[in-house]
Amino acid sequence: KQEVTQIPAALSVPEGENLVLNCSFTDSAIYNLQWFRQDPGKGLTSLLLIQSSQREQTSGRLNASLDKSSGRSTLYIAASQPGDSATYLCAVRGHSGNTPLVFGKGTRLSVIA
Amino acid sequence: SQTIHQWPATLVQPVGSPLSLECTVEGTSNPNLYWYRQAAGRGLQLLFYSVGIGQISSEVPQNLSASRPQDRQFILSSKKLLLSDSGFYLCAWLGVSDTQYFGPGTRLTVL
């Protein structure tokens, strides 16, 4: 059974700092991996999707990498801003597009001005 | 463009009362649809998913049920709510690009 772990559970950084959020998964036979952002009391917002054949995806100040063989993904946030404060969730989809996502418990990020 | 709606946004219900949460997707056809629950201090738990009308897969045995009466409508129900049913309920759909999108959620408090 696929398990997704995110470390650390919480992170506090000063504004302007570059940071890395980590995600690991136990079964490397994934279809894709998706990073989400969740603000308090809100739904999830998709940030980046990496297909199993890809190594990384970039969107603005965000860069997500995937090392499928080692079961790891990282989300890099450059020049962090207070508006980046949120919970970031990693999720993997199994062997086909119809397989449901399995989520980690998230990393709660606070960017201090 | 595609949008997903959930209602109500918040709900307070007594133990033992029935429940009906609705999710509707616009701008797409025959999407895969999902119901998740997020309880305080816990991760996102998949409850049900559907790949088409009348096709429901249950992930967790519980007193909840789901139905898909129309292509873009997904309903979560219960005949008798338990205290443990409290949480944040999220509906999601799978886009053609394999990206999963979430609705705004329903906050359910069972007293």
Side-chain angles (χ1 to χ4, degrees):
Chain A
K1 180 183 177 183
Q2 179 75 269
E3 292 182 1
V4 180
T5 303
Q6 291 187 248
I7 295 174
L11 180 64
S12 183
V13 300
E15 181 177 6
E17 195 163 290
N18 302 327
L19 59 100
V20 174
L21 307 180
N22 296 294
C23 171
S24 62
F25 45 95
T26 54
D27 186 350
S28 62
I30 64 168
Y31 185 76
N32 59 36
L33 181 146
Q34 198 167 350
W35 282 94
F36 295 88
R37 167 187 172 137
Q38 186 177 28
D39 294 291
K42 305 294 185 182
L44 278 66
T45 299
S46 177
L47 296 174
L48 289 164
L49 172 77
I50 308 178
Q51 300 288 3
S52 62
S53 59
Q54 298 174 323
R55 294 300 298 265
E56 65 177 351
Q57 284 288 332
T58 298
S59 176
R61 294 183 293 109
L62 305 180
N63 176 275
S65 68
L66 174 63
D67 184 343
K68 200 170 69 164
S69 61
S70 68
R72 295 181 185 276
S73 176
T74 61
L75 179 66
Y76 174 83
I77 303 177
S80 59
Q81 303 170 359
D84 295 330
S85 298
T87 297
Y88 290 79
L89 295 114
C90 167
V92 298
R93 193 178 302 282
H95 51 82
S96 78
N98 279 330
T99 309
L101 285 172
V102 177
F103 281 83
K105 293 188 176 181
T107 294
R108 189 171 68 253
L109 173 66
S110 296
V111 181
I112 310 301
Chain B
S1 63
Q2 299 88 7
T3 55
I4 182 168
H5 303 279
Q6 286 188 245
W7 60 89
T10 61
L11 193 58
V12 180
Q13 293 284 99
V15 170
S17 63
L19 172 74
S20 181
L21 302 181
E22 189 166 344
C23 169
T24 301
V25 181
E26 294 180 356
T28 187
S29 61
N30 196 31
N32 285 7
L33 296 172
Y34 307 86
W35 276 113
Y36 291 86
R37 178 171 60 202
Q38 193 173 37
R42 300 184 63 181
L44 213 59
Q45 179 186 33
L46 177 66
L47 302 176
F48 301 94
Y49 70 97
S50 172
V51 298
I53 295 174
Q55 301 178 64
I56 309 293
S57 296
S58 173
E59 290 293 303
V60 182
Q62 60 214 333
N63 70 320
L64 299 172
S65 62
S67 62
R68 187 169 177 175
Q70 299 179 40
D71 181 38
R72 289 169 286 178
Q73 185 184 33
F74 205 21
I75 297 173
L76 183 69
S77 304
S78 174
K79 292 182 180 179
K80 290 185 177 182
L81 283 169
L82 307 173
L83 287 174
S84 58
D85 291 325
S86 292
F88 192 46
Y89 287 81
L90 290 157
C91 181
W93 68 281
L94 185 63
V96 294
S97 60
D98 289 337
T99 299
Q100 188 155 315
Y101 300 95
F102 282 79
T106 294
R107 174 75 58 190
L108 171 66
T109 302
V110 182
L111 302 175

